[in-house]
């Protein structure tokens, strides 16, 4: 049987070979932090279950440690309350609300943040504390502050960090408000997603500093952005390659949805193939265009439902080819989405790397190509 140190060394080798782990400092951090201290028992998805069901994998059971040292996200809480040790040996359902993010992503983000010894970093979303431990190993405890919203999750992370020998500054609270007592930081890294960049962050990070955060929304489409803080309260940046997604920050999540009644409305042909929304970037473009809508459905049959106004749009294949859309309510959701998708298609359907973002007290805008190109305002 392999020991934790052996499994950890093998994971470091694999991540290095894949190119996910670069630089001796982060390799050394990954080799030093025992992930099992942070994840503990976790939920594993049950293969083939729709919607995804989970099974608790308990600390010490056969396969538990091997699971810890796979490059996978380990869900550690469902629905803001349920921990793996709270459930019996059965398949449970729920929405993941805390996790230990997959090591390649966490290490890749620390690398992309381009931070080093002596810099002060604010992390939002302590979660299990695994990414915090990696950061503390590299930066030193005194240079790292981490904020966690959920007191139970934050308490467990504090105990795990202490057990692993790290003592960064830990705060339980809403990280979207920043760290008012913490002074200016060189970097901010978020391991939960946001609908827009919280304004306190733009004052918390020094001009010349950086913010690395995933932008998400109520359709849960995600894009990782790296912003340079250009002045007090101002930042601009680009979206990065890859397919990063995070659970959305709790205060930015959509409200609970009532049961959906599909109602009649105005019908017309659709000018775009609705399946464009199944593309990683296509779905994100649709979310930019209809930021308070929830998207359901797949392929030619998409449903958009605006949480704020109750407006609906639903598409279907037309009997003689093409597609139709039925819209209802004060917001013509498909008109907005169709226009945005057409612009994206006219630009050659670039991945999110082709987009940038500019934020200030005056507003927040995601743009395609260049800052003066087509753009969409984020809902602040
Ligand atoms: C994906 S997990 C973080 C993973 C973590 N970095 C790790 O390596 O284990 C996201 C965490 O963000 C927390 N979170 C959500 N909203 C937050 C907020 N407004 N402020 C601080 N933390 C928040 C969640 O409770 C959850 O624990």
């Amino acid at each position: 049987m392999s020991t934790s140190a052996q499994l950890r060394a093998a994971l470091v080798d694999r991540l290095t070979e894949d190119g996910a782990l670069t630089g001796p400092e982060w390799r050394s951090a990954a080799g030093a932090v025992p992930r099992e201290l942070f994840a503990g028992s976790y939920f594993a998805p049950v293969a083939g279950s729709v919607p995804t069901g989970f099974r608790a994998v308990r600390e010490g059971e056969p396969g538990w440690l091997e699971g810890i040292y796979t490059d996978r996200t380990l869900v550690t809480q469902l629905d803001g309350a349920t921990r793996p040790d709270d459930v019996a040996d059965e398949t449970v359902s729920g929405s993941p609300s805390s996790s230990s993010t997959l090591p390649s992503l966490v290490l890749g983000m620390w690398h992309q943040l381009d931070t080093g010894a002596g810099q002060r970093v604010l992390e939002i979303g302590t979660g299990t504390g695994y990414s915090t431990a990696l950061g503390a190993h590299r930066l030193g405890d005194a240079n790292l502050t981490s904020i966690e919203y959920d007191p139970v999750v934050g308490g467990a992370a504090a105990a795990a960090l202490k057990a692993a020998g790290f003592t960064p500054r830990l705060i339980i609270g809403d990280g979207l408000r920043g760290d008012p007592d913490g002074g200016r930081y060189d970097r901010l890294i978020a391991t939960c997603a946001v609908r827009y960049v919280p304004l306190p962050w733009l004052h918390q990070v020094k001009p010349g500093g950086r913010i690395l955060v995933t932008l998400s929304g109520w359709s849960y489409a995600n894009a990782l952005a790296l912003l340079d803080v250009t002045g007090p309260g101002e930042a601009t940046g680009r979206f990065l390659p890859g397919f990063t997604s995070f659970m959305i920050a709790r205060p930015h999540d959509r409200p609970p949805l009532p049961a959906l009644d599909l109602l009649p409305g105005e019908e017309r042909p659709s000018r775009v193939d609705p399946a464009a929304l199944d593309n990683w970037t296509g779905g994100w473009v649709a979310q930019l265009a209809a930021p308070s809508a929830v998207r359901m459905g797949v392929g030619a049959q998409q449903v958009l439902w605006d949480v704020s106004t109750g407006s609906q749009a639903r598409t279907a294949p037309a009997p003689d080819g093409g597609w139709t859309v039925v819209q209802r309510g004060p917001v013509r959701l498909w008109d907005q989405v169709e226009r945005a998708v057409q612009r994206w298609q006219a630009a050659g359907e670039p991945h999110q790397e082709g987009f940038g973002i500019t934020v200030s007290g005056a507003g927040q805008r995601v743009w395609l190509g260049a800052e003066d190109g087509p753009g969409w305002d984020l809902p602040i």
Side-chain angles (χ1 to χ4, degrees), residues 97-101 125-128 131 147-149 174-175 191 249-251:
S97 49
S98 194
S99 63
S100 168
T101 307
T126 315
T128 62
S131 56
I147 309 181
E148 170 56 47
Y149 192 85
D174 181 2
T191 55
R250 298 194 191 184

Side-chain angles (χ1 to χ4, degrees), residues 38 73 77 97-101 106 123-132 147-150 153 173-177 191-193 246-252:
F38 297 91
T73 290
Q77 190 197 56
S97 49
S98 194
S99 63
S100 168
T101 307
V106 168
E123 179 190 47
I124 312 297
T126 315
T128 62
Y130 176 64
S131 56
T132 317
I147 309 181
E148 170 56 47
Y149 192 85
D150 184 310
V153 171
D174 181 2
L176 306 187
R177 296 172 192 264
T191 55
C192 53
F246 276 102
M247 49 191 71
I248 194 161
R250 298 194 191 184
H252 277 195

Side-chain angles (χ1 to χ4, degrees), residues 182-223:
R184 292 287 189 94
Y185 286 89
D186 299 288
R187 300 281 188 271
L188 185 150
I189 182 170
T191 55
C192 53
V194 291
R195 270 183 103 202
Y196 57 87
V197 183
L199 291 181
W201 294 4
L202 300 174
H203 295 276
Q204 189 93 57
V205 177
K206 291 175 189 164
R210 289 191 171 155
I211 296 173
L212 183 62
V213 60
T214 303
L215 266 290
S216 184
W218 287 353
S219 288
Y220 299 148
N222 286 259

Side-chain angles (χ1 to χ4, degrees), residues 111-148:
H111 180 73
Q112 284 164 322
L113 192 65
D114 189 21
T115 184
Q119 289 196 325
R120 297 190 68 232
V121 177
L122 178 60
E123 179 190 47
I124 312 297
T126 315
T128 62
Y130 176 64
S131 56
T132 317
L134 294 169
H137 186 277
R138 169 79 180 94
L139 301 166
D141 293 319
N143 288 319
L144 182 60
T145 298
S146 186
I147 309 181
E148 170 56 47

